[in-house]
Amino acid sequence: MNISLLFSSCAVFIFLFSAYASEQTYFLNKDYISKINSVARTWKVGINFHPETPLKFILRLLGSKGVQASTTYLFKSNDPLYKTILSIPKEFDARKRWKNCTTIGTIRDQGNCGSCWAFSTSGAFADRLCIASNGKFNQLLSAEQVTSCCYRCGLGCQGGYPIKAWQYYNTRGLVTGGNFNSFQLVKDFPYVLVYENIQKDMMIYGPIESSFDVYDDFISYKSGVYSKTPNATYLGGHSVKCIGWGVERNVPYWLMMNSWNSTWGDGGYFKIRRGTNECKVEDSSTAGVPEY
Ligand SMILES: *[C@@H]1O[C@H](CO)[C@@H](O)[C@H](O)[C@H]1NC(C)=O
Ligand SMILES: *[C@@H]1O[C@H](CO)[C@@H](O)[C@H](O)[C@H]1NC(C)=O
Ligand SMILES: *[C@@H]1O[C@H](CO)[C@@H](O)[C@H](O)[C@H]1NC(C)=O
């Protein structure tokens, strides 16, 4: 190889590399993060990802096609048991309500795969089975199975519809991580919850799935109650498990479990503003009722 050819291929490489690098992580760099910290009032930002993490990696984590659930799905507006809830407590934490169900507080890691929709729904399904079985069933269910086997759910690691994952549990069942016992056992059709009933449904049956719009400031969330900062840029839809609610410094919130490892956010958890449909989080909660 002559010198000029070597030089030009090297230049092409450098050009491509720098184009790629500059595309990477504007929202992960320190200046951007400290700017968010100066604007966000109710929450704090910090370093969750290495600043050179490629943009592609981050976008791939956002695999929910279920933000603002379509009206073609079943919306659950009533349940005879809802009447048994006479008042909604100011705070609720499913981990404390059902202490024996340790899966409720188990943070998972979806890795470099857009299977948040599978982790959130299979997680809530396992929790609800534990609650329905009075603690006899207390295991994780396989997010991998639904990610790779449910063709109707979407595109596996490239994203999926949470409600379709519930439908898959209804018709096909789901195995535990360790053995091959399959748990199907959904009593009725899975449903999308209307805002008014989200809390009642959680108090009776357990955690639910929630989808919401992710903006670039959310990626670096560390603590407090998240609400989008004014200039944040939309990145994609994400799906998580909702395990409760509360009020922090007069701001109501939903308590959420992410599937980006316990190194992300507040030990793997985050809080998001409640009651104002923040990032459409109250438009698209899904669940099902397991029968044990
Ligand atoms: C979090 O990431 C670390 C390092 O990659 C890994 O060892 C650990 O298993 C992950 N945690 C979970 C809950 O998957
Ligand atoms: C829950 O755990 C407690 C303490 O370990 C135990 O005494 C109780 O029997 C458990 N309840 C169920 C329903 O398994
Ligand atoms: C948002 O962007 C506008 C227009 O670029 C700018 O004037 C404003 O100061 C920005 N606000 C914040 C809080 O960064």
Side-chain angles (χ1 to χ4, degrees), residues 99-101 130 133-136:
K99 285 203 180 85
N100 290 19
C101 294
C130 181
S133 72
N134 221 346
K136 285 191 203 77

Side-chain angles (χ1 to χ4, degrees), residues 15 49 75 134 204 260:
F15 172 74
F49 295 94
F75 278 72
N134 221 346
I204 295 164
W260 295 348

Side-chain angles (χ1 to χ4, degrees), residues 73-113:
Y73 297 121
L74 180 68
F75 278 72
K76 181 174 176 176
S77 54
N78 217 344
D79 183 313
L81 290 179
Y82 287 170
K83 287 199 209 84
T84 64
I85 306 281
L86 301 177
S87 71
I88 307 282
K90 212 175 141 200
E91 295 201 345
F92 183 80
D93 184 336
R95 293 169 300 182
K96 294 179 187 154
R97 171 67 183 80
W98 295 286
K99 285 203 180 85
N100 290 19
C101 294
T102 52
T103 60
I104 297 176
T106 305
I107 296 282
R108 297 162 87 184
D109 187 343
Q110 67 190 76
N112 186 17
C113 170

Side-chain angles (χ1 to χ4, degrees), residues 275-291:
T276 54
N277 203 16
E278 181 67 40
C279 299
K280 306 197 188 109
V281 72
E282 282 144 12
D283 271 353
S284 39
S285 298
T286 64
V289 175
E291 199 165 43

Side-chain angles (χ1 to χ4, degrees), residues 98-217:
W98 295 286
K99 285 203 180 85
N100 290 19
C101 294
T102 52
T103 60
I104 297 176
T106 305
I107 296 282
R108 297 162 87 184
D109 187 343
Q110 67 190 76
N112 186 17
C113 170
S115 55
C116 53
W117 58 276
F119 277 86
S120 56
T121 55
S122 67
F125 184 33
D127 297 346
R128 286 177 162 232
L129 267 172
C130 181
I131 291 160
S133 72
N134 221 346
K136 285 191 203 77
F137 177 92
N138 186 16
Q139 287 177 75
L140 293 172
L141 291 166
S142 173
E144 292 74 16
Q145 181 195 344
V146 63
T147 304
S148 51
C149 305
C150 179
Y151 303 111
R152 288 184 177 185
C153 287
L155 296 165
C157 277
Q158 279 149 58
Y161 294 89
I163 190 71
K164 292 187 180 176
W166 286 105
Q167 281 161 354
Y168 178 87
Y169 309 150
N170 192 29
T171 54
R172 305 293 297 276
L174 200 59
V175 298
T176 58
N179 59 42
F180 288 90
N181 290 333
S182 187
F183 288 87
Q184 193 161 335
L185 312 163
V186 181
K187 214 193 284 181
D188 290 312
F189 282 109
Y191 46 85
V192 181
L193 279 158
V194 297
Y195 171 68
E196 290 71 25
N197 296 329
I198 292 175
Q199 290 167 306
K200 288 180 190 158
D201 205 80
M202 285 176 70
M203 286 171 72
I204 295 164
Y205 300 111
I208 57 166
E209 179 278 333
S210 294
S211 286
F212 64 107
D213 283 339
V214 167
Y215 291 80
D216 57 3
D217 57 355

Side-chain angles (χ1 to χ4, degrees), residues 28 30 33 45-51 220 222 263:
L28 295 181
K30 262 193 190 153
I33 287 178
V45 192
I47 293 168
N48 287 322
F49 295 94
H50 190 281
S220 302
K222 268 296 172 199
T263 53

